[in-house]
Amino acid sequence: MTFTKSKAKQKVAIVGSGLAGLVTAHLLHHDLHQRYSVTVFESGGSFSLDSASISIQDQSGEIVDRIDVPMRAFAEGYYKNLISMYKYLRVRYHSQQFIYSFRKKAANETLGERSKEGYFIYSSNNHRFPPIRPEGISLSSWFIEIIYVAVCYFWWSLCCFWIPPIPATNSLMCESLDQYIQRIMLPRHFVNFYLLPLIASVATCSHKALLQFPARDLTEYKRQSAGGEHYTVSGLHEVQRTLGCGLEARFSATVTKVEALQNKGLKVVWNTLDKEINEEIFDQVVLAVAPDIAGRIFQPLGKATAQIPTTMVESTVQGDGMKRATNDTTANGLASKRARAAQTIHFRTSVSLGQTESIHVHPSGAMVTTCPFNDISSAQNVLTSVKFLRVLRTPRSRRVVNDIFRENLSSPLLDEKKSSWRNGDDKIWLVGGWCWDGMVLLEGCVVSAMRVAAALDVDIPWRALET
């Protein structure tokens, strides 16, 4: 059977150029039958995936490090589709070992001070065994702490594999992480000072928000990533360049409205930097944006997306004796040099604030602080400081999202039955880390993009790499 090319390509608008938007655009642009004409709309001056990342130079001007902000490390097992895509695209990535240093925030700390007293040091996949003993802790206390942490962690891992969270029913929400922890009787000290700090660094949110996540998100993450390697890419600029190659893009174009016209396609309205209002008709629209933005752009989504919580997260890069080099991507060769060097991440936890501040020390000595306790953006040695929107999860938002994507195993709640819009209706699609039933991470970006491609009958080449 031979395929005849259609003379008129379908026009597809993709709003947003993060990983989800670029993967979707790449798949449609490289459709084997060339049926789609893709236009990417981006409110910034360049693709957003790598927009906050920087290169670090020493005093001589030589690039010594490349820092992706926020960090996009990924774990073997959980990120199956992301890794398959990277392999297909020949994006370079390498295994990365981490050392996690757990500290408490001192109650009497002043602005700019950071407590140096740690209570535990742990290495990813126990590549350093036994654990390093923190300064100021006696050998006997250290030994007791190791036994305590080992027993609690073993129990947590065992529960993730053998005690599933309570699922949702027609009348009840699924079990939250807080409810699950109480049910399995995990010691609160271990939860507050070990489990939540570690997971909060992945989810980049407060302890209170994390405890409201569906328990299934965390147990599945643990089940699938257990024992797997951690990886980082050589630089997001390489991913962005590969995915964005050949795409038509309209930068500094803020999409304000998408309207379904009766039998006449979809009207996309956007503003330019000089406040000029433009509009164009498309056959398909993909919204690769946060849920609240999607609800503002496309009115039928407003009620549903209002039930999906979000929060702003700050990430700041500091470095003494260094200077920032923006948009310079000549640091590709650094990956092989630092691939085997373990990197340290300090977790500073305040139970009273319900928050963990993570400080990632890079090979160059630059420090990336995420969720800082105090505003450090104006400090003298700050190279860059950015804020980004993080989509959170709750049992209710999980149900709302699954309803949009037709993944609910039980009937929607009464107040959700009135919302009949589903992904793909009106030829409008949603993609992003929040657009699947799992942690809001890079894997969700790839999975949701693949879902749209499959619905539009576009081949997904890296599926052939799956085993």
Side-chain angles (χ1 to χ4, degrees):
M1 180 178 178
T2 59
F3 187 93
T4 304
K5 286 187 179 181
S6 174
K7 293 182 179 179
K9 293 184 177 182
Q10 288 195 51
K11 295 175 61 179
V12 181
I14 297 182
V15 184
S17 62
L19 183 64
L22 289 182
V23 173
T24 308
H26 179 86
L27 287 170
L28 300 187
H29 178 69
H30 291 278
D31 171 38
L32 294 176
H33 309 302
Q34 293 296 294
R35 292 164 291 180
Y36 302 100
S37 173
V38 179
T39 302
V40 179
F41 288 85
E42 169 55 47
S43 59
S46 61
F47 290 136
S48 64
L49 178 61
D50 189 46
S51 61
S53 301
I54 64 171
S55 292
I56 301 294
Q57 296 176 332
D58 60 16
Q59 296 291 359
S60 66
E62 180 184 355
I63 294 178
V64 295
D65 205 355
R66 178 72 179 176
I67 298 178
D68 291 327
V69 182
M71 181 176 69
R72 267 64 164 226
F74 50 99
E76 185 179 19
Y78 191 79
Y79 293 81
K80 300 181 183 70
N81 294 284
L82 178 75
I83 292 176
S84 293
M85 182 186 73
Y86 282 168
K87 286 180 178 178
Y88 173 78
L89 297 175
R90 297 184 179 179
V91 169
R92 295 174 297 171
Y93 63 91
H94 60 274
S95 61
Q96 179 63 63
Q97 295 177 336
F98 294 98
I99 295 175
Y100 307 117
S101 172
F102 294 84
R103 304 176 180 183
K104 296 179 183 178
K105 180 183 182 296
N108 59 349
E109 281 184 26
T110 60
L111 185 63
E113 287 185 343
R114 283 173 174 164
S115 173
K116 295 183 179 180
E117 294 183 4
Y119 55 89
F120 201 76
I121 300 175
Y122 166 77
S123 59
S124 58
N125 292 329
N126 288 310
H127 69 267
R128 290 184 122 183
F129 190 84
I132 304 168
R133 177 158 58 106
E135 293 182 12
I137 294 183
S138 66
L139 186 61
S140 59
S141 297
W142 176 59
F143 181 74
I144 293 171
E145 192 73 8
I146 290 176
I147 298 299
Y148 171 80
V149 172
V151 170
C152 291
Y153 191 76
F154 175 77
W155 175 241
W156 161 251
S157 302
L158 190 69
C159 291
C160 288
F161 279 91
W162 297 104
I163 304 178
I166 298 172
T169 65
N170 290 346
S171 57
L172 297 175
M173 299 291 181
C174 65
E175 192 171 29
S176 70
L177 177 62
D178 193 27
Q179 292 168 331
Y180 181 73
I181 285 172
Q182 293 183 48
R183 182 162 64 90
I184 64 174
M185 294 184 289
L186 196 63
R188 186 55 64 171
H189 177 81
F190 175 78
V191 171
N192 289 337
F193 290 103
Y194 291 97
L195 183 63
L196 292 182
L198 194 59
I199 301 176
S201 70
V202 176
T204 54
C205 65
S206 68
H207 293 187
K208 181 179 179 181
L210 184 57
L211 288 168
Q212 296 308 307
F213 274 41
R216 179 186 178 277
D217 285 10
L218 284 304
T219 58
E220 282 302 305
Y221 183 85
K222 172 60 183 175
R223 283 165 55 93
Q224 295 182 40
S225 63
E229 293 283 347
H230 294 83
Y231 298 103
T232 57
V233 293
S234 300
L236 282 177
H237 57 275
E238 185 178 347
V239 180
Q240 180 173 281
R241 182 176 61 247
T242 303
L243 292 174
C245 182
L247 295 179
E248 178 185 346
R250 295 179 185 172
F251 297 114
S252 302
T254 302
V255 174
T256 57
K257 186 177 182 181
V258 172
E259 181 181 357
L261 306 176
Q262 190 172 6
N263 300 321
K264 293 183 180 179
L266 299 162
K267 182 170 71 173
V268 176
V269 182
W270 73 94
N271 297 335
T272 60
L273 282 179
D274 56 6
K275 308 299 182 182
E276 180 184 350
I277 300 176
N278 301 272
E279 60 181 54
E280 188 174 342
I281 305 300
F282 289 86
D283 299 298
Q284 310 267 356
V285 173
V286 180
L287 299 179
V289 293
D292 54 339
I293 297 175
R296 290 199 301 269
I297 292 175
F298 184 54
Q299 188 274 330
L301 274 171
K303 182 178 179 181
T305 56
Q307 301 178 69
I308 303 174
T310 61
T311 187
M312 291 300 297
V313 176
E314 182 180 1
S315 194
T316 299
V317 183
Q318 296 172 278
D320 291 325
M322 302 173 188
K323 60 181 179 180
R324 172 183 172 183
T326 60
N327 300 321
D328 193 330
T329 58
T330 58
N332 293 344
L334 295 171
S336 59
K337 297 179 182 178
R338 66 177 186 239
R340 297 184 180 277
Q343 297 181 13
T344 301
I345 302 179
H346 300 284
F347 299 131
R348 297 176 63 245
T349 297
S350 170
V351 174
S352 60
L353 295 176
Q355 181 179 333
T356 292
E357 171 190 80
S358 68
I359 306 162
H360 182 186
V361 183
H362 284 257
S364 62
M367 298 186 302
V368 181
T369 303
T370 305
C371 299
F373 291 120
N374 305 305
D375 181 14
I376 58 175
S377 59
S378 58
Q380 189 174 3
N381 61 344
V382 168
L383 303 177
T384 185
S385 184
V386 298
K387 291 185 178 181
F388 55 93
L389 193 70
R390 163 63 79 176
V391 180
L392 304 175
R393 294 266 287 176
T394 65
R396 172 170 284 278
S397 74
R398 180 196 177 205
R399 195 155 192 167
V400 169
V401 169
N402 286 353
D403 193 37
I404 290 174
F405 294 97
R406 299 180 173 90
E407 294 181 354
N408 262 337
L409 300 179
S410 55
S411 300
L413 296 177
L414 291 176
D415 59 343
E416 293 168 5
K417 291 182 179 180
K418 300 176 183 178
S419 176
S420 58
W421 193 89
R422 299 292 183 270
N423 193 44
D425 288 355
D426 304 311
K427 296 186 178 180
I428 296 177
W429 308 87
L430 297 173
V431 296
W434 61 277
C435 297
W436 75 317
D437 191 17
M439 293 277 283
V440 185
L441 300 171
L442 295 180
E443 181 71 2
C445 295
V446 179
V447 169
S448 58
M450 292 169 60
R451 181 195 291 131
V452 172
L456 297 180
D457 194 31
V458 173
D459 179 61
I460 303 168
W462 53 82
R463 271 189 174 163
L465 300 177
E466 297 177 0
T467 58

